Amino acid sequence: MGAKLRARDIMSGGVQCVGAHQSLLDAAKMMRDLNIGCLPICGDNNKLTGLITDRDIVVKCCAEGIDPATVQAGSLMAEVHWIDAEADARDVLTTMEEHQIKRLPVIDVQGGHRLIGMITEANLAKNLSDEQIAEFASRVYTIAGMSGRSGD
């Protein structure tokens, strides 16, 4: 991974948000239509406030017998980690490893603190050496597995 490579260079752009006041059913339909397993949650100001995964919807709502049409996406928000679009690619890897996460929102801090993309494992795979991928996987999956966390 080159030292001059920035977060904006390795992210996937065109990220869509689910509104904090939209239902989990809306979020699930968006995930289905976009063929993704994670959506950023944006507040009324269109700023990133959290992330929601398909697993969150299943485990925290459906498995509890709760109708996803009656739950707002914002109610499942947890701490969200993100990275500045201008951050070095090495910082991307460090952030994902330290927080044991597989998806990292990219924020254009200089451009009004807007969400402009998402970095996933697939993005890393396109930009990392085989050795770096193995190291990333061992740090994220081994530790996450030991702590009982899914890394989502």
Side-chain angles (χ1 to χ4, degrees):
M1 185 164 37
K4 300 198 187 239
L5 201 58
R6 300 170 300 161
R8 73 169 59 250
D9 299 324
I10 60 175
M11 70 178 199
S12 294
V15 175
Q16 293 186 30
C17 286
V18 63
H21 299 295
Q22 287 183 266
S23 73
L24 294 183
L25 182 60
D26 293 334
K29 287 179 180 180
M30 286 179 71
M31 287 183 201
R32 176 200 63 202
D33 295 346
L34 296 168
N35 194 30
I36 56 175
C38 177
L39 274 174
I41 301 171
C42 292
D44 294 332
N45 59 1
N46 287 325
K47 304 266 177 156
L48 179 69
T49 59
L51 291 177
I52 188 166
T53 66
D54 48 5
R55 186 176 191 283
D56 292 333
I57 295 170
V58 170
V59 172
K60 297 176 182 175
C61 183
C62 299
E64 297 297 326
I66 301 169
D67 180 357
T70 65
V71 179
Q72 292 184 353
S75 69
L76 292 187
M77 287 188 301
E79 181 181 11
V80 63
H81 301 282
W82 56 271
I83 194 133
D84 185 347
E86 298 304 317
D88 185 90
R90 294 179 202 283
D91 295 332
V92 169
L93 193 57
T94 299
T95 299
M96 294 176 80
E97 288 174 353
E98 284 179 1
H99 298 289
Q100 301 171 14
I101 54 177
K102 298 181 269 183
R103 302 168 183 103
L104 186 63
V106 179
I107 303 291
D108 185 357
V109 173
Q110 295 175 352
H113 210 82
R114 294 177 305 112
L115 174 69
I116 61 167
M118 187 78 74
I119 297 174
T120 65
E121 295 167 300
N123 299 114
L124 294 179
K126 292 175 187 173
N127 292 280
L128 297 177
S129 68
D130 290 344
E131 181 180 301
Q132 289 170 312
I133 292 169
E135 185 175 337
F136 171 79
S138 71
R139 289 184 179 174
V140 172
Y141 290 101
T142 304
I143 295 168
M146 290 172 43
S147 67
R149 293 187 50 204
S150 68
D152 288 331

